[in-house]
Amino acid sequence: MGQIRQSLKKKFSTPEKQSHLRVICATLGPGKARLLGLISERHSITEAAREMKMSYKRAWQLIDTLNGCFREPLVESITGGSHGGGSRLTRMGGQVLALYQAIHAKSVAAVSKELKRLQGMLKT
């Protein structure tokens, strides 16, 4: 029990160096956005999950949640080909990721002074 408590304390009480943005009631946040970005780069859920140090099953659960939240799927499977199958972002997936990144960049820029002050109030 003590080890679980310590890992939770470390996860939730350690100040982050970079701000994060969670959009649409926890539907899309920094973790899911990173997963989408890695799938876009690697064309592989397995590779994206490995880079994020998460299981393939967990990555698929996140993708399934995202695909269910939007009018169209954000990630689709690619079958066959000389290199085998894989995955890629759909057109909607690319648009959602780009919008998330734009919203995040604009919001960080808009509140940069306040974020800096808030981070200065944190324990080191």
Side-chain angles (χ1 to χ4, degrees):
M1 184 74 159
Q3 189 172 8
I4 293 172
R5 191 173 299 228
Q6 281 294 80
S7 64
L8 289 175
K9 183 178 179 185
K10 183 179 179 185
K11 180 176 183 179
F12 293 111
S13 67
T14 305
E16 301 262 345
K17 299 251 188 244
Q18 186 176 5
S19 62
H20 298 288
L21 175 69
R22 190 161 317 278
V23 180
I24 314 170
C25 302
T27 299
L28 184 58
K32 289 176 184 167
R34 182 166 180 234
L35 180 61
L36 290 175
L38 288 170
I39 291 169
S40 179
E41 291 173 17
R42 306 278 196 293
H43 300 286
S44 168
I45 294 170
T46 302
E47 291 296 319
R50 188 175 296 134
E51 177 139 344
M52 292 183 72
K53 295 179 175 52
M54 76 170 64
S55 70
Y56 177 81
K57 180 181 178 182
R58 178 67 180 140
W60 250 117
Q61 288 171 335
L62 294 173
I63 292 164
D64 192 43
T65 298
L66 285 170
N67 282 346
C69 288
F70 289 89
R71 291 181 183 171
E72 298 174 23
L74 305 187
V75 178
E76 64 185 0
S77 295
I78 306 166
T79 55
S82 61
H83 296 91
S87 296
R88 65 178 168 213
L89 296 189
T90 62
R91 189 169 144 246
M92 172 80 74
Q95 291 173 341
V96 166
L97 180 58
L99 282 170
Y100 174 84
Q101 291 169 334
I103 291 167
H104 180 262
K106 286 180 181 181
S107 63
V108 168
V111 297
S112 63
K113 284 195 317 190
E114 291 84 357
L115 281 173
K116 195 172 196 172
R117 283 187 61 206
L118 186 60
Q119 287 173 337
M121 295 176 184
L122 295 171
K123 291 180 180 179
T124 54

